[in-house]
Amino acid sequence: MPPLRSAGTGPEAGDADDAVDAVDAVDAGGAEPEYAGRYRLEQRLGSGGMGVVHLARSASGLRLAVKVVHAEYAVDPEFRARFRQEVAAARRVSGAFTASVVDADPEAGRPWMATLYIPGPTLSERVKRNGPLGADEVRRLAAGLAEALRDIHRAGVVHRDLKPSNVLLAEDGPKVIDFGISRPYDSELRTETGKLIGTPPFMAPEQFQRPREVGPAADVFALASLLVHAATGRGPFESESPYIVAYQVVHDEPDLAGVPEDLVPLIRACLAKDPADRPTPDAIMEMLPGSGTGSVSGVPAPSAVKASSTPSRRRFGRARWFAVATAVVAVLGVGGAWAAGALGDLGLGLGPQPAESRPTPAGSSWRPWETSVAADAVGNGEARAGFCTYGAGALYCSARGVQAARIDAVSGTVAWRRTATSRRPGGGAPSAPVVSGGLVHALSPDKRELSALDPVSGEPRWTRDVSAYGGRIYHAGDTVLLVGGDGTVTAVDGATNRERWRHGLPGGIKPVFSYYGGLTAYGVALAADGRHTRVVAVDAVRGTTRWEWTGEGSLTAVGAAPGGDVLYLSEADSHTRISAVIRYAPGIGRERRVPLAVPLEAMSAVVHGDTAYVLSSDGGLTAVDTVASGAGTRWRMETSVANGSALVVDDARLYFSAADGRLLAVDAGRGALLGQTSPRLARAGRGFLELLPAPVVAGGKVFGAAPDGTVFAVDGGNPAGWR
């Protein structure tokens, strides 16, 4: 199981770190490969967020389109699992209306898939270049895509991302491509860990409201939206903000102006809000004009899409808006295709309020505040959320373009700000600074240089080249642990930059380190057989081994319990689901496995006392007791957060952030929501956050960081009064 989500610091940053190493090893500095398996890549056809498509030829001269995954994703086990799913789905539906799979290797250093090359533009390119299609062309497109969906659904697959850029206009009819987020609709696994669900203008209402219930009817809704785009150059729900689009999809009537009149009833039926009211692909083919077996003129408009059933926007409640906005943020958080919208512009009263207008804690002179890590909050179209830590009486944060900044925890004043410099671009999300050895440790954006800064002035005390470690840099108190490509660990004094010790760990493992206070760092590595995990507890200062253990399954360390026990999560049948919490007592070598009633799609987890808390991708927060008689789930609550930050626990309260900028507080004992702030999205940039910043708790205050670039402080003692 891969490390869970985090704010970008500590052991959980391993996925991004390994990505840097893989770019070096596979890409030789970033160059594209010349071959995919035995196929020579002749020409670059295009690039997307997850990979590059090349033109290639088989030994017999057959032209192929070869999709090669970007190097930074090739080392992500979860993405590899999704790519395997894409290959399986594409093979399953290969036919007259899709690009047939010729060969694939999802296990290669750079996973790839080769399909038959289909000459012709995408529908998106065609409309952009030549304008909307003519009425006859739209009818033919509708017929071809209805047949395509019929075959795809008969194969038991739901595409879930049918849009103009995923439709090729070939000479013999349209072809549907890109099954990257498709799912077998008889599968229990309907969502992923907040990664990518679809594209808002072409998503069905249930994809925002009930993502686990998405079935073939969602593709029918997308087909109708796509046909409107083909006929008019725009969608039936149109806005620069995907959040407004989400609201329109769920509640508003579609705009069908410009659609051929004889197609309007059919398209309106396909855009029904209730999936049960939409026609099947077979029914669509029968109802198309000229089919000879039916006419769209007689298709009644389902009651679900009548204007009278759409509530006034002025009556749209705050809770319902949160549900829609949060669902869209789950799409935007990692998918990266859409800009963050402005909630404050909707007139709903949900936008950020000036800090000075918010109430102060009762009986306290301190006032909540907000500021920005980056001087301009948003620049170059990028989201500039701050990743923060607390130490030496101040808050230290980083963001895109800012290596580190010191913020006064009481006033919110930025004392100093150090601009990020890099020898080369890349490296993923920023890493929060770490206070170690009395200095502020900050990585360069490419994770190739570690600087120790004076906490008062921000000036460097020392700088170390860490490019040889591929981003595998872990802090254990005042010790920095650097893991080499061969598994050798170099320990460095955080104050002086002097080497403390250097050697490999027992078993020759290449560990990901976790640290939970004291002197012990826990090195975890999956065994070669893929069915066991090797754990080595190391004295971070001396380098001596305290204990060793091999546990069954793919395990991730999530915290230390009373008595020195360590808790782990065990994966179920994929790289994203967990089936049990394991408590290991090193003193006596005893292992206790607490199975979960239902496997969870874990996003983050934390330990408090004898309880593990798991935030899952469906927005559920689960408390698992690890010691009581009949140990198991203590409680479960729904949080409405489908894409959350790492959990933080303090004083029997759980804190985490949502992708719309909300900060939430939950009572850890009884699983009750204590309070939440308003969303902070009004100044968000066009871009996405690879990881969500986790809250920081210190001095009775809770510090949050939002996608709009703000860092803010609220009273930790009064979550109910948060604004």
Side-chain angles (χ1 to χ4, degrees):
M1 178 175 179
L4 301 174
R5 286 180 174 270
S6 76
T9 63
E12 291 83 8
D15 284 346
D17 299 341
D18 285 345
V20 176
D21 188 50
V23 169
D24 293 340
V26 179
D27 274 352
E32 286 297 319
E34 295 184 6
Y35 285 87
R38 63 180 180 274
Y39 305 107
R40 183 178 179 85
L41 307 180
E42 298 178 351
Q43 178 185 341
R44 180 170 172 150
L45 297 176
S47 178
M50 296 299 180
V52 178
V53 180
H54 300 265
L55 179 65
R57 291 183 186 273
S58 69
S60 64
L62 192 66
R63 290 199 296 176
L64 306 174
V66 181
K67 179 178 180 178
V68 181
V69 171
H70 288 316
E72 58 265 37
Y73 297 110
V75 296
D76 182 346
E78 183 178 335
F79 178 81
R80 279 183 174 270
R82 194 164 82 229
F83 188 75
R84 284 192 292 270
Q85 172 86 35
E86 176 178 0
V87 172
R91 281 177 165 152
R92 194 170 179 178
V93 303
S94 287
F97 304 100
T98 59
S100 298
V101 177
V102 175
D103 199 357
D105 188 357
E107 309 304 329
R110 291 280 294 275
W112 57 270
M113 176 173 63
T115 63
L116 287 178
Y117 172 70
I118 300 174
T122 66
L123 176 60
S124 177
E125 293 167 341
R126 165 65 171 77
V127 172
K128 186 179 297 183
R129 184 174 64 239
N130 300 330
L133 277 59
D136 287 342
E137 291 179 296
V138 176
R139 295 184 190 100
R140 289 194 294 272
L141 177 67
L145 290 178
E147 287 189 79
L149 288 184
R150 178 198 63 190
D151 287 0
I152 290 169
H153 294 166
R154 282 179 178 175
V157 173
V158 181
H159 191 285
R160 301 203 313 167
D161 197 22
L162 186 66
K163 58 186 178 182
S165 60
N166 284 340
V167 174
L168 284 172
L169 300 180
E171 290 184 358
D172 59 345
K175 310 291 184 185
V176 176
I177 60 173
D178 197 348
F179 289 82
I181 61 170
S182 62
R183 281 284 181 271
Y185 59 78
D186 56 356
S187 169
E188 293 182 357
L189 179 58
R190 300 295 179 96
T191 60
E192 296 176 83
T193 56
K195 289 268 177 119
L196 184 63
I197 308 173
T199 306
F202 302 95
M203 290 170 65
E206 61 268 26
Q207 288 180 278
F208 297 109
Q209 298 173 307
R210 305 177 301 278
R212 286 186 174 272
E213 300 176 17
V214 172
D219 288 344
V220 171
F221 191 98
L223 168 62
S225 298
L226 183 150
L227 293 176
V228 175
H229 176 87
T232 67
R234 53 161 178 77
F237 308 100
E238 193 79 5
S239 172
E240 292 184 358
S241 167
Y243 302 95
I244 297 178
V245 171
Y247 173 85
Q248 294 171 337
V249 167
V250 173
H251 295 284
D252 283 359
E253 277 286 299
D255 180 1
L256 302 184
V259 173
E261 186 174 348
D262 58 351
L263 285 176
V264 169
L266 171 59
I267 289 178
R268 190 177 296 278
C270 293
L271 292 175
K273 305 300 185 188
D274 188 340
D277 289 337
R278 298 173 205 149
T280 65
D282 280 322
I284 292 172
M285 288 187 284
E286 292 178 0
M287 295 186 301
L288 277 168
S291 67
T293 57
S295 171
V296 296
S297 60
V299 177
S303 60
V305 296
K306 291 181 180 177
S308 61
S309 68
T310 303
S312 166
R313 185 169 296 178
R314 293 176 183 172
R315 298 199 305 270
F316 188 44
R318 171 177 291 201
R320 296 177 69 189
W321 172 255
F322 281 159
V324 174
T326 302
V328 182
V329 171
V331 181
L332 307 182
V334 179
W338 293 90
L343 291 180
D345 295 340
L346 295 179
L348 299 176
L350 301 182
Q353 305 172 25
E356 58 269 20
S357 70
R358 294 177 183 152
T360 58
S364 172
S365 60
W366 178 81
R367 298 171 65 87
W369 53 257
E370 69 176 43
T371 187
S372 173
V373 179
D376 57 352
V378 176
N380 299 323
E382 294 180 320
R384 291 283 188 94
F387 292 77
C388 303
T389 191
Y390 183 88
L395 201 64
Y396 299 94
C397 305
S398 66
R400 291 193 185 277
V402 178
Q403 185 176 16
R406 176 182 171 125
I407 301 176
D408 185 279
V410 176
S411 66
T413 302
V414 179
W416 53 258
R417 181 183 290 113
R418 185 173 179 82
T419 302
T421 58
S422 176
R423 283 178 285 176
R424 72 173 191 176
S431 298
V434 177
V435 178
S436 177
L439 302 178
V440 180
H441 289 212
L443 278 168
S444 60
D446 58 12
K447 296 180 174 61
R448 288 174 164 259
E449 193 172 80
L450 178 65
S451 298
L453 311 177
D454 185 289
V456 177
S457 67
E459 294 300 315
R461 291 280 192 87
W462 56 260
T463 298
R464 187 182 188 96
D465 184 343
V466 293
S467 58
Y469 303 102
R472 293 181 296 273
I473 302 161
Y474 310 93
H475 283 81
D478 292 338
T479 302
V480 186
L481 301 173
L482 311 172
V483 181
D486 61 354
T488 299
V489 181
T490 301
V492 176
D493 187 308
T496 65
N497 193 27
R498 293 175 181 170
E499 187 174 306
R500 283 180 165 164
W501 52 269
R502 184 177 185 273
H503 56 69
L505 298 188
I509 66 171
K510 181 180 174 182
V512 170
F513 277 106
S514 301
Y515 174 72
Y516 307 112
L519 299 177
T520 304
Y522 302 92
V524 178
L526 187 65
D529 62 8
R531 298 191 299 271
H532 297 83
T533 299
R534 181 72 171 164
V535 182
V536 179
V538 180
D539 185 307
V541 176
R542 298 181 176 86
T544 55
T545 298
R546 293 178 176 269
W547 51 263
E548 307 171 42
W549 173 59
T550 298
E552 182 179 350
S554 178
L555 309 181
T556 299
V558 295
D565 295 3
V566 184
L567 296 185
Y568 302 87
L569 300 181
S570 176
E571 73 168 34
D573 54 2
S574 74
H575 289 285
T576 60
R577 297 203 296 174
I578 63 165
S579 59
V581 177
I582 295 97
R583 180 167 182 155
Y584 178 70
I588 57 178
R590 184 179 64 191
E591 170 190 335
R592 183 177 192 185
R593 184 175 293 258
V594 181
L596 302 180
V598 177
L600 300 176
E601 297 280 343
M603 295 176 64
S604 68
V606 71
V607 172
H608 183 62
D610 295 315
T611 305
Y613 300 90
V614 182
L615 180 63
S616 50
S617 64
D618 62 0
L621 181 59
T622 304
V624 182
D625 192 313
T626 64
V627 296
S629 176
T633 301
R634 286 180 53 198
W635 52 256
R636 176 180 168 86
M637 65 172 287
E638 299 301 323
T639 69
S640 82
V641 177
N643 185 35
S645 73
L647 290 167
V648 175
V649 61
D650 182 80
D651 193 25
R653 287 179 178 173
L654 296 164
Y655 302 97
F656 58 101
S657 297
D660 60 2
R662 282 179 295 149
L663 171 66
L664 296 90
V666 172
D667 186 301
R670 54 192 179 93
L673 181 67
L674 298 176
Q676 62 181 330
T677 65
S678 297
R680 284 173 164 81
L681 285 167
R683 296 190 299 278
R686 291 181 174 270
F688 67 95
L689 301 177
E690 297 92 332
L691 296 171
L692 291 177
V696 175
V697 184
K701 307 173 186 66
V702 184
F703 305 94
D708 71 352
T710 58
V711 174
F712 58 95
V714 292
D715 178 17
N718 183 30
W722 290 355
R723 298 291 185 268

